[in-house]
Amino acid sequence: RKSLTNIRVMLSKIGSARTNSTTIQTCTNQDQSSIMMELSKQQISLDLQRYEIEQKRLAIDTDRVNFEKEILKKLSESETGKLEGRLPEECYKYNLMDDPTRQFTRGNTMANGKWGCDMVDQGVSTSPDWKNAAWYRIVPPAGLVIPQFPTGEGHCGAHISGYMKPTSKPPSTVGLNVAIELCFDYQSTCQYTGKGYMTNCGSYYVYWLPQVPSYCYTRYCTSNVLNI
């Protein structure tokens, strides 16, 4: 009986030990889960802080960019005001040359299907933006300048196309006016010639253009760039 009693005591201790082990394991799992949840919360909190910091940085960058734009705008307005006091009169008093069919890539007809001509009172199809010999500023959709390269016969909405002679030098200084040579391509390059003037007005050029020297149909060409 004593041996049986001892066995029962030992089994009881083993059972108690297993219970304690299970309890410890359960507590350990619960602790790990709590730690992971806490770490996850802390990570989310850090991510939110980083997001808020990034948003503030972007706002600061946006404010800086807007501030710089405003400063540049004021400087530009100020500089324009300074230029207006010393630019020649033709920089403000000019005609617009804006017919898109003047582009050097155009064929030999205008929008109405006829050959164009930079002459008036000649009983021909006068270009819609031609006002006789005068100062002109070239603006879109026609382009920005008179090209400084041969355009070839049958372009710019006319039979004979005009451009600035490649050897002519555009004025490099704001306010400067220079004489330029004009060429007109027909059966050969620069078959006809003429003389005009070109003024640097800062952000654009103006041209004094005479009536075309050859018979119609002859027009001045335009382009977005001086050279190609």
mmCIF file of all heavy atoms in Angstrom, residues 87-128:
data_model
loop_
_atom_site.group_PDB
_atom_site.id
_atom_site.type_symbol
_atom_site.label_atom_id
_atom_site.label_comp_id
_atom_site.label_asym_id
_atom_site.label_seq_id
_atom_site.Cartn_x
_atom_site.Cartn_y
_atom_site.Cartn_z
ATOM 1 N N LEU A 87 13.523 100.866 -75.385
ATOM 2 C CA LEU A 87 13.301 100.151 -76.629
ATOM 3 C C LEU A 87 12.825 101.112 -77.711
ATOM 4 O O LEU A 87 12.086 102.059 -77.436
ATOM 5 C CB LEU A 87 12.264 99.044 -76.440
ATOM 6 C CG LEU A 87 12.711 97.812 -75.649
ATOM 7 C CD1 LEU A 87 11.548 96.847 -75.492
ATOM 8 C CD2 LEU A 87 13.882 97.117 -76.322
ATOM 9 N N PRO A 88 13.218 100.875 -78.947
ATOM 10 C CA PRO A 88 12.782 101.745 -80.038
ATOM 11 C C PRO A 88 11.277 101.644 -80.287
ATOM 12 O O PRO A 88 10.628 100.673 -79.895
ATOM 13 C CB PRO A 88 13.589 101.250 -81.244
ATOM 14 C CG PRO A 88 14.027 99.874 -80.880
ATOM 15 C CD PRO A 88 14.170 99.848 -79.400
ATOM 16 N N GLU A 89 10.758 102.628 -80.949
ATOM 17 C CA GLU A 89 9.313 102.742 -81.144
ATOM 18 C C GLU A 89 8.716 101.548 -81.859
ATOM 19 O O GLU A 89 7.589 101.130 -81.570
ATOM 20 C CB GLU A 89 9.017 104.029 -81.933
ATOM 21 C CG GLU A 89 7.535 104.312 -82.106
ATOM 22 C CD GLU A 89 7.291 105.599 -82.870
ATOM 23 O OE1 GLU A 89 8.238 106.088 -83.528
ATOM 24 O OE2 GLU A 89 6.155 106.101 -82.818
ATOM 25 N N GLU A 90 9.471 100.967 -82.806
ATOM 26 C CA GLU A 90 8.907 99.859 -83.589
ATOM 27 C C GLU A 90 8.606 98.616 -82.751
ATOM 28 O O GLU A 90 7.873 97.726 -83.183
ATOM 29 C CB GLU A 90 9.854 99.486 -84.750
ATOM 30 C CG GLU A 90 11.216 98.982 -84.322
ATOM 31 C CD GLU A 90 12.264 100.087 -84.348
ATOM 32 O OE1 GLU A 90 11.883 101.269 -84.234
ATOM 33 O OE2 GLU A 90 13.451 99.758 -84.501
ATOM 34 N N CYS A 91 9.186 98.565 -81.531
ATOM 35 C CA CYS A 91 8.910 97.416 -80.650
ATOM 36 C C CYS A 91 7.496 97.457 -80.091
ATOM 37 O O CYS A 91 7.031 96.472 -79.495
ATOM 38 C CB CYS A 91 9.927 97.372 -79.507
ATOM 39 S SG CYS A 91 11.582 96.871 -80.038
ATOM 40 N N TYR A 92 6.801 98.587 -80.263
ATOM 41 C CA TYR A 92 5.435 98.729 -79.753
ATOM 42 C C TYR A 92 4.428 99.060 -80.843
ATOM 43 O O TYR A 92 3.239 98.853 -80.667
ATOM 44 C CB TYR A 92 5.387 99.825 -78.683
ATOM 45 C CG TYR A 92 6.457 99.665 -77.638
ATOM 46 C CD1 TYR A 92 7.576 100.485 -77.633
ATOM 47 C CD2 TYR A 92 6.375 98.662 -76.687
ATOM 48 C CE1 TYR A 92 8.577 100.325 -76.692
ATOM 49 C CE2 TYR A 92 7.369 98.489 -75.745
ATOM 50 C CZ TYR A 92 8.474 99.326 -75.760
ATOM 51 O OH TYR A 92 9.459 99.140 -74.839
ATOM 52 N N LYS A 93 4.958 99.585 -81.947
ATOM 53 C CA LYS A 93 4.069 99.959 -83.045
ATOM 54 C C LYS A 93 4.423 99.114 -84.268
ATOM 55 O O LYS A 93 5.358 99.414 -85.009
ATOM 56 C CB LYS A 93 4.207 101.450 -83.362
ATOM 57 C CG LYS A 93 3.758 102.351 -82.219
ATOM 58 C CD LYS A 93 3.869 103.824 -82.589
ATOM 59 C CE LYS A 93 3.402 104.712 -81.445
ATOM 60 N NZ LYS A 93 3.503 106.169 -81.785
ATOM 61 N N TYR A 94 3.678 98.049 -84.442
ATOM 62 C CA TYR A 94 3.948 97.121 -85.540
ATOM 63 C C TYR A 94 2.656 96.446 -85.973
ATOM 64 O O TYR A 94 1.629 96.504 -85.267
ATOM 65 C CB TYR A 94 4.971 96.062 -85.109
ATOM 66 C CG TYR A 94 4.638 95.386 -83.797
ATOM 67 C CD1 TYR A 94 3.601 94.445 -83.694
ATOM 68 C CD2 TYR A 94 5.353 95.684 -82.639
ATOM 69 C CE1 TYR A 94 3.293 93.837 -82.499
ATOM 70 C CE2 TYR A 94 5.051 95.073 -81.426
ATOM 71 C CZ TYR A 94 4.021 94.155 -81.366
ATOM 72 O OH TYR A 94 3.718 93.561 -80.173
ATOM 73 N N ASN A 95 2.706 95.828 -87.129
ATOM 74 C CA ASN A 95 1.604 94.996 -87.614
ATOM 75 C C ASN A 95 1.892 93.541 -87.266
ATOM 76 O O ASN A 95 3.060 93.152 -87.134
ATOM 77 C CB ASN A 95 1.460 95.130 -89.138
ATOM 78 C CG ASN A 95 1.130 96.540 -89.563
ATOM 79 O OD1 ASN A 95 0.076 97.067 -89.239
ATOM 80 N ND2 ASN A 95 2.052 97.168 -90.289
ATOM 81 N N LEU A 96 0.858 92.751 -87.125
ATOM 82 C CA LEU A 96 1.032 91.326 -86.844
ATOM 83 C C LEU A 96 1.044 90.525 -88.137
ATOM 84 O O LEU A 96 0.189 90.707 -89.008
ATOM 85 C CB LEU A 96 -0.094 90.817 -85.939
ATOM 86 C CG LEU A 96 -0.133 91.368 -84.514
ATOM 87 C CD1 LEU A 96 -1.306 90.764 -83.761
ATOM 88 C CD2 LEU A 96 1.169 91.086 -83.785
ATOM 89 N N MET A 97 2.009 89.640 -88.242
ATOM 90 C CA MET A 97 2.072 88.697 -89.354
ATOM 91 C C MET A 97 1.742 87.333 -88.751
ATOM 92 O O MET A 97 2.575 86.721 -88.076
ATOM 93 C CB MET A 97 3.463 88.717 -89.991
ATOM 94 C CG MET A 97 3.560 87.940 -91.282
ATOM 95 S SD MET A 97 5.134 88.228 -92.155
ATOM 96 C CE MET A 97 4.753 89.756 -93.016
ATOM 97 N N ASP A 98 0.511 86.873 -88.961
ATOM 98 C CA ASP A 98 0.037 85.693 -88.230
ATOM 99 C C ASP A 98 -0.640 84.638 -89.102
ATOM 100 O O ASP A 98 -1.270 83.712 -88.580
ATOM 101 C CB ASP A 98 -0.932 86.121 -87.129
ATOM 102 C CG ASP A 98 -2.116 86.922 -87.673
ATOM 103 O OD1 ASP A 98 -2.198 87.110 -88.900
ATOM 104 O OD2 ASP A 98 -2.951 87.370 -86.864
ATOM 105 N N ASP A 99 -0.525 84.763 -90.415
ATOM 106 C CA ASP A 99 -1.144 83.783 -91.306
ATOM 107 C C ASP A 99 -0.359 82.462 -91.247
ATOM 108 O O ASP A 99 0.821 82.413 -91.624
ATOM 109 C CB ASP A 99 -1.157 84.322 -92.728
ATOM 110 C CG ASP A 99 -1.855 83.373 -93.706
ATOM 111 O OD1 ASP A 99 -2.355 82.326 -93.258
ATOM 112 O OD2 ASP A 99 -1.888 83.672 -94.911
ATOM 113 N N PRO A 100 -0.984 81.368 -90.786
ATOM 114 C CA PRO A 100 -0.260 80.091 -90.651
ATOM 115 C C PRO A 100 0.231 79.522 -91.976
ATOM 116 O O PRO A 100 1.163 78.716 -91.996
ATOM 117 C CB PRO A 100 -1.294 79.165 -90.004
ATOM 118 C CG PRO A 100 -2.615 79.761 -90.351
ATOM 119 C CD PRO A 100 -2.391 81.243 -90.368
ATOM 120 N N THR A 101 -0.349 79.960 -93.104
ATOM 121 C CA THR A 101 0.094 79.419 -94.396
ATOM 122 C C THR A 101 1.422 80.033 -94.840
ATOM 123 O O THR A 101 1.938 79.674 -95.909
ATOM 124 C CB THR A 101 -0.973 79.645 -95.488
ATOM 125 O OG1 THR A 101 -1.153 81.055 -95.706
ATOM 126 C CG2 THR A 101 -2.296 79.025 -95.090
ATOM 127 N N ARG A 102 1.989 80.927 -94.029
ATOM 128 C CA ARG A 102 3.324 81.467 -94.321
ATOM 129 C C ARG A 102 4.444 80.514 -93.877
ATOM 130 O O ARG A 102 5.601 80.702 -94.271
ATOM 131 C CB ARG A 102 3.524 82.814 -93.615
ATOM 132 C CG ARG A 102 2.762 83.964 -94.211
ATOM 133 C CD ARG A 102 3.121 85.272 -93.518
ATOM 134 N NE ARG A 102 2.399 86.393 -94.082
ATOM 135 C CZ ARG A 102 2.762 87.074 -95.161
ATOM 136 N NH1 ARG A 102 3.876 86.725 -95.788
ATOM 137 N NH2 ARG A 102 2.060 88.089 -95.601
ATOM 138 N N GLN A 103 4.117 79.534 -93.062
ATOM 139 C CA GLN A 103 5.137 78.603 -92.585
ATOM 140 C C GLN A 103 5.901 77.996 -93.763
ATOM 141 O O GLN A 103 5.300 77.641 -94.787
ATOM 142 C CB GLN A 103 4.495 77.486 -91.766
ATOM 143 C CG GLN A 103 4.143 77.886 -90.334
ATOM 144 C CD GLN A 103 5.313 77.685 -89.389
ATOM 145 O OE1 GLN A 103 6.383 77.195 -89.765
ATOM 146 N NE2 GLN A 103 5.126 78.072 -88.133
ATOM 147 N N PHE A 104 7.231 77.892 -93.611
ATOM 148 C CA PHE A 104 8.064 77.410 -94.725
ATOM 149 C C PHE A 104 7.750 75.975 -95.133
ATOM 150 O O PHE A 104 8.129 75.519 -96.214
ATOM 151 C CB PHE A 104 9.552 77.544 -94.371
ATOM 152 C CG PHE A 104 10.057 76.524 -93.387
ATOM 153 C CD1 PHE A 104 10.672 75.361 -93.806
ATOM 154 C CD2 PHE A 104 9.911 76.732 -92.018
ATOM 155 C CE1 PHE A 104 11.147 74.424 -92.907
ATOM 156 C CE2 PHE A 104 10.383 75.796 -91.104
ATOM 157 C CZ PHE A 104 11.005 74.640 -91.544
ATOM 158 N N THR A 105 7.040 75.251 -94.275
ATOM 159 C CA THR A 105 6.659 73.872 -94.596
ATOM 160 C C THR A 105 5.397 73.802 -95.450
ATOM 161 O O THR A 105 5.034 72.729 -95.933
ATOM 162 C CB THR A 105 6.438 73.084 -93.303
ATOM 163 O OG1 THR A 105 5.502 73.792 -92.471
ATOM 164 C CG2 THR A 105 7.743 72.930 -92.529
ATOM 165 N N ARG A 106 4.739 74.954 -95.596
ATOM 166 C CA ARG A 106 3.496 75.006 -96.368
ATOM 167 C C ARG A 106 3.787 74.898 -97.860
ATOM 168 O O ARG A 106 4.845 75.287 -98.344
ATOM 169 C CB ARG A 106 2.779 76.324 -96.064
ATOM 170 C CG ARG A 106 1.540 76.614 -96.889
ATOM 171 C CD ARG A 106 0.323 75.872 -96.373
ATOM 172 N NE ARG A 106 -0.872 76.185 -97.165
ATOM 173 C CZ ARG A 106 -2.094 75.801 -96.832
ATOM 174 N NH1 ARG A 106 -2.299 75.116 -95.719
ATOM 175 N NH2 ARG A 106 -3.135 76.102 -97.596
ATOM 176 N N GLY A 107 2.805 74.426 -98.611
ATOM 177 C CA GLY A 107 2.925 74.370 -100.068
ATOM 178 C C GLY A 107 2.742 75.747 -100.686
ATOM 179 O O GLY A 107 2.966 76.771 -100.038
ATOM 180 N N ASN A 108 2.294 75.794 -101.941
ATOM 181 C CA ASN A 108 2.250 77.070 -102.667
ATOM 182 C C ASN A 108 0.901 77.782 -102.656
ATOM 183 O O ASN A 108 0.686 78.719 -103.427
ATOM 184 C CB ASN A 108 2.721 76.877 -104.112
ATOM 185 C CG ASN A 108 1.806 75.941 -104.893
ATOM 186 O OD1 ASN A 108 0.792 75.474 -104.388
ATOM 187 N ND2 ASN A 108 2.174 75.655 -106.138
ATOM 188 N N THR A 109 -0.040 77.359 -101.809
ATOM 189 C CA THR A 109 -1.336 78.035 -101.754
ATOM 190 C C THR A 109 -1.689 78.450 -100.333
ATOM 191 O O THR A 109 -1.244 77.844 -99.362
ATOM 192 C CB THR A 109 -2.465 77.129 -102.289
ATOM 193 O OG1 THR A 109 -2.509 75.925 -101.499
ATOM 194 C CG2 THR A 109 -2.230 76.781 -103.744
ATOM 195 N N MET A 110 -2.527 79.493 -100.247
ATOM 196 C CA MET A 110 -3.024 79.945 -98.945
ATOM 197 C C MET A 110 -4.239 79.102 -98.575
ATOM 198 O O MET A 110 -4.594 78.145 -99.272
ATOM 199 C CB MET A 110 -3.397 81.428 -99.017
ATOM 200 C CG MET A 110 -2.223 82.353 -99.325
ATOM 201 S SD MET A 110 -2.659 84.117 -99.165
ATOM 202 C CE MET A 110 -3.934 84.279 -100.436
ATOM 203 N N ALA A 111 -4.908 79.490 -97.492
ATOM 204 C CA ALA A 111 -6.058 78.717 -97.026
ATOM 205 C C ALA A 111 -7.202 78.732 -98.041
ATOM 206 O O ALA A 111 -8.013 77.804 -98.092
ATOM 207 C CB ALA A 111 -6.531 79.273 -95.685
ATOM 208 N N ASN A 112 -7.287 79.813 -98.859
ATOM 209 C CA ASN A 112 -8.358 79.902 -99.866
ATOM 210 C C ASN A 112 -8.034 79.143 -101.146
ATOM 211 O O ASN A 112 -8.773 79.210 -102.130
ATOM 212 C CB ASN A 112 -8.659 81.367 -100.187
ATOM 213 C CG ASN A 112 -7.455 82.123 -100.746
ATOM 214 O OD1 ASN A 112 -6.414 81.521 -101.012
ATOM 215 N ND2 ASN A 112 -7.594 83.426 -100.897
ATOM 216 N N GLY A 113 -6.884 78.461 -101.157
ATOM 217 C CA GLY A 113 -6.506 77.679 -102.323
ATOM 218 C C GLY A 113 -5.796 78.477 -103.403
ATOM 219 O O GLY A 113 -5.467 77.932 -104.461
ATOM 220 N N LYS A 114 -5.561 79.774 -103.166
ATOM 221 C CA LYS A 114 -4.897 80.624 -104.160
ATOM 222 C C LYS A 114 -3.449 80.895 -103.763
ATOM 223 O O LYS A 114 -3.084 80.794 -102.603
ATOM 224 C CB LYS A 114 -5.638 81.955 -104.296
ATOM 225 C CG LYS A 114 -7.063 81.828 -104.787
ATOM 226 C CD LYS A 114 -7.717 83.201 -104.875
ATOM 227 C CE LYS A 114 -9.159 83.090 -105.393
ATOM 228 N NZ LYS A 114 -9.803 84.424 -105.496
ATOM 229 N N TRP A 115 -2.643 81.260 -104.742
ATOM 230 C CA TRP A 115 -1.292 81.722 -104.445
ATOM 231 C C TRP A 115 -1.395 83.066 -103.725
ATOM 232 O O TRP A 115 -2.180 83.934 -104.124
ATOM 233 C CB TRP A 115 -0.489 81.905 -105.729
ATOM 234 C CG TRP A 115 -0.105 80.618 -106.399
ATOM 235 C CD1 TRP A 115 -0.239 79.368 -105.899
ATOM 236 C CD2 TRP A 115 0.474 80.486 -107.691
ATOM 237 N NE1 TRP A 115 0.226 78.438 -106.781
ATOM 238 C CE2 TRP A 115 0.678 79.101 -107.900
ATOM 239 C CE3 TRP A 115 0.850 81.378 -108.685
ATOM 240 C CZ2 TRP A 115 1.234 78.597 -109.073
ATOM 241 C CZ3 TRP A 115 1.406 80.872 -109.854
ATOM 242 C CH2 TRP A 115 1.604 79.498 -110.046
ATOM 243 N N GLY A 116 -0.584 83.271 -102.703
ATOM 244 C CA GLY A 116 -0.599 84.522 -101.968
ATOM 245 C C GLY A 116 0.431 85.502 -102.490
ATOM 246 O O GLY A 116 1.382 85.121 -103.183
ATOM 247 N N CYS A 117 0.242 86.791 -102.138
ATOM 248 C CA CYS A 117 1.190 87.805 -102.593
ATOM 249 C C CYS A 117 1.271 88.937 -101.577
ATOM 250 O O CYS A 117 0.248 89.405 -101.072
ATOM 251 C CB CYS A 117 0.750 88.372 -103.940
ATOM 252 S SG CYS A 117 1.970 89.522 -104.633
ATOM 253 N N ASP A 118 2.509 89.354 -101.244
ATOM 254 C CA ASP A 118 2.701 90.482 -100.327
ATOM 255 C C ASP A 118 2.811 91.778 -101.121
ATOM 256 O O ASP A 118 3.821 92.486 -101.116
ATOM 257 C CB ASP A 118 3.947 90.240 -99.459
ATOM 258 C CG ASP A 118 3.706 89.154 -98.429
ATOM 259 O OD1 ASP A 118 2.531 88.847 -98.147
ATOM 260 O OD2 ASP A 118 4.690 88.595 -97.918
ATOM 261 N N MET A 119 1.739 92.079 -101.834
ATOM 262 C CA MET A 119 1.556 93.337 -102.553
ATOM 263 C C MET A 119 0.108 93.767 -102.364
ATOM 264 O O MET A 119 -0.769 92.933 -102.100
ATOM 265 C CB MET A 119 1.832 93.173 -104.054
ATOM 266 C CG MET A 119 3.286 93.054 -104.438
ATOM 267 S SD MET A 119 3.447 93.058 -106.251
ATOM 268 C CE MET A 119 5.229 92.947 -106.426
ATOM 269 N N VAL A 120 -0.137 95.059 -102.493
ATOM 270 C CA VAL A 120 -1.510 95.570 -102.422
ATOM 271 C C VAL A 120 -1.808 96.337 -103.703
ATOM 272 O O VAL A 120 -0.912 96.847 -104.379
ATOM 273 C CB VAL A 120 -1.703 96.484 -101.196
ATOM 274 C CG1 VAL A 120 -1.546 95.689 -99.917
ATOM 275 C CG2 VAL A 120 -0.717 97.653 -101.215
ATOM 276 N N ASP A 121 -3.099 96.398 -104.005
ATOM 277 C CA ASP A 121 -3.576 97.155 -105.176
ATOM 278 C C ASP A 121 -2.922 96.689 -106.478
ATOM 279 O O ASP A 121 -2.607 97.486 -107.357
ATOM 280 C CB ASP A 121 -3.325 98.665 -104.985
ATOM 281 C CG ASP A 121 -4.018 99.210 -103.751
ATOM 282 O OD1 ASP A 121 -5.113 98.710 -103.446
ATOM 283 O OD2 ASP A 121 -3.451 100.104 -103.097
ATOM 284 N N GLN A 122 -2.699 95.396 -106.575
ATOM 285 C CA GLN A 122 -2.096 94.862 -107.794
ATOM 286 C C GLN A 122 -3.054 93.914 -108.524
ATOM 287 O O GLN A 122 -2.676 93.266 -109.485
ATOM 288 C CB GLN A 122 -0.807 94.109 -107.439
ATOM 289 C CG GLN A 122 0.264 94.973 -106.815
ATOM 290 C CD GLN A 122 0.821 95.996 -107.782
ATOM 291 O OE1 GLN A 122 1.035 95.707 -108.961
ATOM 292 N NE2 GLN A 122 1.054 97.207 -107.299
ATOM 293 N N GLY A 123 -4.302 93.869 -108.058
ATOM 294 C CA GLY A 123 -5.279 92.989 -108.677
ATOM 295 C C GLY A 123 -4.952 91.525 -108.479
ATOM 296 O O GLY A 123 -5.289 90.680 -109.312
ATOM 297 N N VAL A 124 -4.266 91.228 -107.359
ATOM 298 C CA VAL A 124 -3.891 89.846 -107.071
ATOM 299 C C VAL A 124 -4.442 89.448 -105.703
ATOM 300 O O VAL A 124 -5.052 90.254 -105.003
ATOM 301 C CB VAL A 124 -2.352 89.681 -107.078
ATOM 302 C CG1 VAL A 124 -1.804 89.951 -108.464
ATOM 303 C CG2 VAL A 124 -1.703 90.625 -106.066
ATOM 304 N N SER A 125 -4.204 88.195 -105.332
ATOM 305 C CA SER A 125 -4.672 87.692 -104.041
ATOM 306 C C SER A 125 -3.700 88.116 -102.937
ATOM 307 O O SER A 125 -2.751 87.406 -102.607
ATOM 308 C CB SER A 125 -4.790 86.165 -104.094
ATOM 309 O OG SER A 125 -5.317 85.661 -102.887
ATOM 310 N N THR A 126 -3.932 89.301 -102.380
ATOM 311 C CA THR A 126 -3.044 89.832 -101.347
ATOM 312 C C THR A 126 -3.149 89.003 -100.068
ATOM 313 O O THR A 126 -4.240 88.591 -99.659
ATOM 314 C CB THR A 126 -3.412 91.298 -101.029
ATOM 315 O OG1 THR A 126 -3.296 92.067 -102.231
ATOM 316 C CG2 THR A 126 -2.491 91.871 -99.969
ATOM 317 N N SER A 127 -2.026 88.776 -99.437
ATOM 318 C CA SER A 127 -2.004 88.031 -98.174
ATOM 319 C C SER A 127 -2.891 88.734 -97.144
ATOM 320 O O SER A 127 -2.875 89.968 -97.050
ATOM 321 C CB SER A 127 -0.576 87.940 -97.637
ATOM 322 O OG SER A 127 0.280 87.341 -98.585
ATOM 323 N N PRO A 128 -3.656 87.979 -96.348
ATOM 324 C CA PRO A 128 -4.601 88.595 -95.402
ATOM 325 C C PRO A 128 -3.927 89.426 -94.307
ATOM 326 O O PRO A 128 -4.558 90.301 -93.730
ATOM 327 C CB PRO A 128 -5.344 87.394 -94.813
ATOM 328 C CG PRO A 128 -4.431 86.226 -95.024
ATOM 329 C CD PRO A 128 -3.731 86.511 -96.312
#
